[in-house]
Amino acid sequence: MVKVQRLFAKTNLKIRVCEAMKAPVGLLSGSAVCDSRWRGVAPTSTPNKSTSETRRSLRSEVPDGPCSTRGQEPSTSVGGSFCFAGALRDGVVYSAQFNNSEFMEENMQGERKTLTQLSVPICLETLFYMLSGMVDTLMLSSVSDQAVGAVGTANTYIGVFIIMFGVISSGMVAVMSQNIGAGRPGIAYQARQLGLVFNALTGILISVVLAVFSGGILRAVSIAPALLESAETYLKIVGGASFLNALIPIFSSYLRVFGYTKHSLIGTVVGNVINIILNSVFLFVFHWGVMGVATATVISKAVNLIIVAAMGAVLIKAKQSPEREQPRRILAQIVKIGFPSAFETALYNVAMTFIVRFMNQMDTDGMNVTARSYAMQIANFSYCVGAALAQANAIMTGWRIGAKKYEECDRGTRKAVIYGLVTATCFSVTFAMTGRFIVHIFTDDTQMIELVVKLLIVDIFLEFGRVTNLVYGQALKTSGDAIFPVIIGAIFMYLFAVGGTYFLGIHMGLLAVGAYIAMAGDECARAIGMVLRWKSGKWKSKSLIEL
């Protein structure tokens, strides 16, 4: 067996040993043995001339007698265009599988990545994104508190109009990761291409709508009069370039599912650095105010898109893989996961729209909605760790489900939840205790500082529920069980978050604090439902891969 391994180490062949069928092995072709006895191996084809020559070489090199690994479960492999087998004594067949593409060793490295290796770059990427938003808020606060509230409100409504991007991007991650785990990266490439075309067309359409009807949209949701002009300017510029928001997740997700999380991080870091530099120039040199922040945002996103698209083209050669499926079938799988996920996001964003509208009705100067913007910018740092763990675990969930490793999937998800809870709780408690000093960076208004600190205290409970909800929810979606999160979201987001904001915030007079209590109740209630669903094990029957 040692000689066999030496022989094929030079020819990129993978050795497999399996127990032969009861029929005489001399009557079975290599493909028959592989197809009938190997579980988890990619489809094979009939040996050609080069295969026959290598087979003869194999038979002459294989030692007599059984191998010491006889009776063990054969290991799985990915890729390969054909396999063959030679008949040996004692019912043991020594087989070799030829790897038909060089990219297997280069591009499947993601399967060997750990949760930490995947989540740390994603966390840093999210952190840089949050830091950029915090710097935007800090710079805008030098203009006015109303400018902060205007941009925060406009971003909320931009999120509502770009939910269609989630139909493809979330479903695409599930399809790509499961096919990579099953050893079919060519299908992952097909999924990326379909997602790219769909999101490009959708992004252009939404960009036109937001650029043309920005003023009417803001008036329809009863934005505070003091925020209208600035919010309309921001929504017209950033919303008009929302096609960038449609394309960046496609290329970033493509890098991540193949394990290239560091390279996606590079694109985000460079884009955010450019954003901060341009913000400084446009705000403090040209004095463009909200228009300057919006312009800097668009330019930085364009740079980010160029970087991640170029890196994906250079680093990942999945296009060279021979695996292909009918595009209609791949699209159906994407929509099967993506539509419910996007619908859940739509429900959430519409709920947030109602909440922001209620908060705009709490006063005429926009103080409550501005306090929410400050609190969100600070709390996002405790959220980013849990969000990164959720995304990294979702990728690994897809790999493991594609490879039918359900127990590893369960253990990995529980581990991600524990890590997320510990880190998010530590961060949120720290921010609540030091809130007065942090908020003082943004504003000197004593009343505003007191209100934001109260929101940060409530946010401790909100983050505890949100991290649990994120990790289990994304794992369920990636596994194929995407309907349940929609159902539970539709119930609790509107019963707790929306209804609770009106009852506690307006009817009971708790204002922004009441809204935060309602949102915390929503996150915790949904988290309990996600945990119970995961423990039921029903997600194991939802796989998109049929081996």
Side-chain angles (χ1 to χ4, degrees):
M1 186 63 184
V2 175
K3 293 182 179 180
V4 177
Q5 292 173 333
R6 290 174 181 171
L7 172 65
F8 291 103
K10 299 180 180 179
T11 57
N12 200 25
L13 288 169
K14 296 186 178 181
I15 308 303
R16 295 290 182 271
V17 179
C18 57
E19 186 178 352
M21 299 174 67
K22 293 183 179 179
V25 293
L27 300 179
L28 296 174
S29 69
S31 293
V33 174
C34 293
D35 291 340
S36 61
R37 301 295 289 175
W38 292 0
R39 290 179 289 178
V41 177
T44 61
S45 63
T46 305
N48 55 23
K49 180 179 179 180
S50 61
T51 336
S52 302
E53 293 173 356
T54 315
R55 181 194 299 132
R56 287 193 294 270
S57 177
L58 173 63
R59 285 174 174 169
S60 64
E61 292 286 339
V62 175
D64 292 336
C67 176
S68 60
T69 58
R70 179 182 177 182
Q72 295 181 3
E73 182 69 17
S75 60
T76 59
S77 66
V78 292
S81 60
F82 57 80
C83 62
F84 56 87
L88 299 175
R89 294 185 308 183
D90 299 320
V92 175
V93 176
Y94 289 86
S95 305
Q97 182 183 6
F98 182 72
N99 193 343
N100 65 351
S101 178
E102 294 180 355
F103 82 91
M104 285 297 181
E105 293 296 328
E106 299 174 0
N107 294 294
M108 299 305 291
Q109 60 172 301
E111 293 183 85
R112 296 190 291 270
K113 294 275 182 88
T114 64
L115 179 66
T116 302
Q117 289 174 318
L118 287 175
S119 62
V120 169
I122 295 176
C123 180
L124 291 175
E125 182 177 349
T126 307
L127 185 62
F128 273 101
Y129 179 80
M130 300 302 179
L131 181 61
S132 176
M134 190 173 183
V135 171
D136 282 353
T137 302
L138 179 61
M139 291 181 174
L140 277 171
S141 65
S142 66
V143 178
S144 67
D145 285 343
Q146 284 74 23
V148 174
V151 171
T153 302
N155 279 327
T156 298
Y157 296 121
I158 288 174
V160 173
F161 281 88
I162 64 174
I163 56 175
M164 291 184 67
F165 305 151
V167 174
I168 292 298
S169 59
S170 58
M172 192 182 73
V173 169
V175 173
M176 288 194 300
S177 59
Q178 287 197 29
N179 277 286
I180 291 171
R184 304 192 294 182
I187 300 176
Y189 170 77
Q190 279 187 286
R192 199 288 303 267
Q193 291 298 94
L194 288 170
L196 181 61
V197 172
F198 184 91
N199 271 19
L201 296 176
T202 306
I204 293 172
L205 176 62
I206 292 178
S207 294
V208 172
V209 171
L210 290 177
V212 175
F213 302 105
S214 55
I217 292 169
L218 292 171
R219 293 184 185 91
V221 296
S222 302
I223 188 173
L227 308 180
L228 177 59
E229 183 178 355
S230 297
E232 182 177 355
T233 299
Y234 187 88
L235 185 59
K236 184 172 294 184
I237 296 174
V238 177
S242 60
F243 66 91
L244 298 172
N245 294 322
L247 299 179
I248 290 174
I250 297 294
F251 292 103
S252 295
S253 297
Y254 188 58
L255 285 168
R256 288 174 182 170
V257 295
F258 277 94
Y260 292 105
T261 50
K262 293 180 182 178
H263 301 78
S264 178
L265 168 64
I266 292 172
T268 299
V269 171
V270 173
N272 285 342
V273 169
I274 291 175
N275 184 49
I276 293 172
I277 294 173
L278 292 180
N279 272 341
S280 301
V281 173
F282 294 153
L283 281 176
F284 305 125
V285 177
F286 296 128
H287 304 288
W288 287 358
V290 171
M291 183 182 71
V293 172
T295 304
T297 299
V298 171
I299 295 174
S300 64
K301 287 185 180 297
V303 173
N304 190 354
L305 174 61
I306 293 170
I307 292 173
V308 293
M311 285 187 172
V314 171
L315 295 172
I316 302 173
K317 305 299 181 183
K319 182 179 181 180
Q320 299 175 8
S321 176
E323 302 91 13
R324 291 293 183 271
E325 284 280 1
Q326 289 293 330
R328 184 177 301 177
R329 184 173 184 271
I330 299 174
L331 184 61
Q333 290 181 336
I334 292 174
V335 173
K336 177 184 176 182
I337 304 300
F339 183 78
S341 300
F343 189 59
E344 182 194 6
T345 304
L347 290 173
Y348 178 82
N349 286 332
V350 172
M352 290 301 106
T353 301
F354 281 114
I355 290 171
V356 171
R357 182 172 184 175
F358 290 152
M359 294 182 75
N360 277 317
Q361 294 173 1
M362 292 175 183
D363 54 59
T364 57
D365 58 358
M367 181 176 181
N368 283 276
V369 74
T370 302
R372 170 184 174 271
S373 296
Y374 284 134
M376 284 180 60
Q377 293 296 335
I378 297 170
N380 277 339
F381 285 91
S382 61
Y383 157 79
C384 71
V385 177
L389 287 168
Q391 292 180 54
N393 180 69
I395 292 171
M396 298 185 76
T397 295
W399 290 343
R400 289 162 175 164
I401 289 177
K404 306 301 181 183
K405 298 178 180 179
Y406 298 114
E407 294 304 318
E408 288 185 24
C409 184
D410 185 35
R411 289 194 301 269
T413 299
R414 286 188 279 111
K415 177 181 176 181
V417 170
I418 293 172
Y419 286 177
L421 287 175
V422 172
T423 53
T425 302
C426 289
F427 273 113
S428 57
V429 169
T430 301
F431 290 142
M433 294 175 64
T434 60
R436 296 181 187 278
F437 303 100
I438 298 174
V439 182
H440 189 70
I441 299 173
F442 299 101
T443 180
D444 294 325
D445 189 332
T446 304
Q447 190 177 3
M448 178 69 72
I449 293 174
E450 292 294 328
L451 179 56
V452 175
V453 169
K454 292 178 182 178
L455 298 184
L456 290 175
I457 293 173
V458 180
D459 188 70
I460 296 173
F461 304 95
L462 190 153
E463 295 301 332
F464 191 88
R466 180 158 62 177
V467 170
T468 306
N469 188 19
L470 275 172
V471 176
Y472 278 114
Q474 290 206 32
L476 286 171
K477 295 170 192 174
T478 305
S479 70
D481 190 7
I483 300 296
F484 180 81
V486 178
I487 297 174
I488 198 172
I491 295 172
F492 289 108
M493 281 190 288
Y494 289 86
L495 181 64
F496 280 49
V498 177
T501 296
Y502 179 81
F503 180 75
L504 296 175
I506 296 178
H507 182 72
M508 299 296 293
L510 296 177
L511 304 179
V513 175
Y516 256 64
I517 293 173
M519 289 188 288
D522 161 52
E523 293 287 356
C524 291
R526 283 192 288 147
I528 293 172
M530 297 294 184
V531 172
L532 295 176
R533 179 67 172 188
W534 183 264
K535 288 186 175 181
S536 72
K538 293 183 179 179
W539 52 272
K540 296 179 182 179
S541 62
K542 307 290 185 178
S543 174
L544 303 174
I545 305 298
E546 298 179 1
L547 292 178

